[in-house]
Amino acid sequence: MNDKAKTGDQIASAIEAAKGRATVKDIYFVACGGSYALMLPNQYIMDRESGEIAGHALNAAEFKARAPKRLGETSIVILCSHSGTTPETVEAARYAREAGALTIALTNDAGSPLDEASEYTIYYEHEPKQISPDHSTAVLTRLTFGILDAREGNENAAKVEEALKALPSIVDAAIKSHDERIATFAESHKREEVIYTMGAGTNYAIAYSYAICIFQEMQWIHSAAIHAGEYFHGPFEITDYDVPFIILKGLGASRPMDERAIAFATQYSDKVTVLDSEELGLGAIDSDVVEYVEHMAFGTLLRVYSDKLAFSRGHPLTVRRYMWQMEY
Amino acid sequence: MNDKAKTGDQIASAIEAAKGRATVKDIYFVACGGSYALMLPNQYIMDRESGEIAGHALNAAEFKARAPKRLGETSIVILCSHSGTTPETVEAARYAREAGALTIALTNDAGSPLDEASEYTIYYEHEPKQISPDHSTAVLTRLTFGILDAREGNENAAKVEEALKALPSIVDAAIKSHDERIATFAESHKREEVIYTMGAGTNYAIAYSYAICIFQEMQWIHSAAIHAGEYFHGPFEITDYDVPFIILKGLGASRPMDERAIAFATQYSDKVTVLDSEELGLGAIDSDVVEYVEHMAFGTLLRVYSDKLAFSRGHPLTVRRYMWQMEY
């Protein structure tokens, strides 16, 4: 349904519209669940890279309830819903547009309610065990850097485009090289009732989506995403020899935080799985921008981990007891 | 050590300094763990009430690693550490001050490294099973509204001061009225291995601190704070008849979100504990500002719940296996 030229054109149109606004003070990144998790690295990008625009990431229902006072003509609101039907996100788009904000939506479904509700729409590709510049998370990053570059000039925008092109083959190779580790992980974790995830910087987003979408939603395994910087201020007391963690070790500004958490967790738990951006081959990416794309490598690789885990547990990722089964 | 006149004077001095800045574009709320949780309602206040200043809440290590590009002369950085010795928070204060930001610290300990590192310091009272306008969470709220009022004018600032004065007797009465429920909760939950917490708006902060500081840290019970708006986009699939939740029902903008989550959770779990702001007597507070103070009532009441739970489990809240036991 999507062709890449079209996705590129749609991103360009949205950036052009963002450039055309007289003043932009805020970008709100608004969605729910897994799509909300995709927004977090973009809020991070705004903090790191923008001199003029504040970035905010909010769950769509929280966004509407909170009704930010600054929301208006000086706002861009970026939304995402895979099906384009998530009611809270569609509502948020209508609300933001009515307030005068520029609304830009990402969805996998043209003609969906979110598409209709938003001024600009970008369609993305979807294949969770692969990554490309036209996958949702990459499209969002291109959009965020594109807006930054158009409005303020940004030296990293072009580097990010290059990094996204290099990513698919790095991730494919990483998945192949983890074949044995994935099988070992699945067998050794198939009877776990709790698995924690941990990360910092952009990688916290992956820790969060893995905890809520894979473990809690698709595997009915108790989980929580722990921010590596918060770990030592409470959560670390839960660590014990039999408590499993998946910890993401990035190559960006948060690496020292990751290393500290890993050093502690591996000392007191026998069940720590570390995914290291460097070991995955991300060291080949320009060090100025690797932190903006490495979460995409973690997310894709971890999806392959969950396929194997689901098989070992006899609990397919597609099984739900409430979602799609009833009104709620 | 603290006298109330002094706390009030210190808040006033910090507000005066904030007023004196030529331009303020951002307030960063920076701390770790339980003190970080205190920051979240203040970030919420900025979203709801400020027309000119963006609010950001960040873990102190994440703040320093992220190194926000906008940080500088147009920034206020508000920090908190109970002991005043949390290394990441002290580092963050130094970093922010060097960048030209106005630094305002809250601590229970005068002369502590955080006090030394920050331009302005406010000392607060500490008695977790009570609340007063001079407790840390209330002091932060007075500071945030004070800065807002001084810089932009704010109609709710005076109402919040009144609400904080009314709060202590409401909370004392709520604690007394929950006496039996607290005992029942403690006995019925003493063998639970996982307890989830849930909230939205300002109350999410209490859900978060209860999950990480009480359950994980002080009771070694697995936990995660679930945002009520995120619940239906993943986490709700973990709900089952034997999965316990504590859910906070507020009287503010997020009440419909809370109600939806409670309706679902109580239908599929037999172990849902709902704390309702209205039932606690918060309906007596001005409805324009109740959402800015109700989390303090939840936090104080829940602390009494945890005392009783700790007793039933024979696991005092003061026991740690890592914290205070070793270097990490």
Side-chain angles (χ1 to χ4, degrees), chain A residues 59 62 208 227 230 239 322, chain B residues 59 62 208 227 230 239 322:
Chain A
N59 164 274
E62 177 77 33
Y208 179 71
H227 186 282
E230 289 283 277
T239 311
Y322 310 119
Chain B
N59 163 275
E62 177 77 33
Y208 178 71
H227 186 282
E230 288 283 277
T239 311
Y322 309 121

Side-chain angles (χ1 to χ4, degrees), chain A residues 33 47-48 52 59 62 66 69-70 88 196 208 222 227 230 233 237 239-240 321-323, chain B residues 33 47-48 52 59 62 66 69-70 88 196 208 222 227 230 233 237 239-240 321-323:
Chain A
D47 277 359
R48 287 284 272 172
E52 293 166 22
N59 164 274
E62 177 77 33
R66 200 174 280 207
K69 190 171 178 184
R70 290 156 60 95
E88 300 97 306
Y196 285 106
Y208 179 71
H222 296 297
H227 186 282
E230 289 283 277
H233 301 281
E237 282 283 334
T239 311
D240 210 339
R321 44 186 161 187
Y322 310 119
M323 198 177 274
Chain B
D47 277 359
R48 287 284 272 172
E52 292 166 22
N59 163 275
E62 177 77 33
R66 200 174 280 207
K69 190 171 176 184
R70 291 155 60 96
E88 300 97 307
Y196 285 105
Y208 178 71
H222 296 297
H227 186 282
E230 288 283 277
H233 301 281
E237 281 283 335
T239 311
D240 210 339
R321 44 185 159 187
Y322 309 121
M323 198 177 274

Side-chain angles (χ1 to χ4, degrees), chain B residues 217-229:
Chain B
E217 176 183 329
M218 300 188 195
Q219 289 296 295
W220 308 347
I221 293 172
H222 296 297
S223 189
I226 298 171
H227 186 282

Side-chain angles (χ1 to χ4, degrees), chain A residues 179-192 195 273 304-313:
Chain A
D179 204 43
E180 216 168 291
R181 271 172 284 186
I182 291 168
T184 306
F185 174 86
E187 277 303 299
S188 60
H189 286 73
K190 68 184 176 186
R191 281 192 262 281
E192 297 298 345
I195 305 175
T273 304
V304 185
Y305 270 78
S306 51
D307 265 14
K308 200 79 173 177
L309 178 66
F311 180 82
S312 288
R313 301 180 80 242

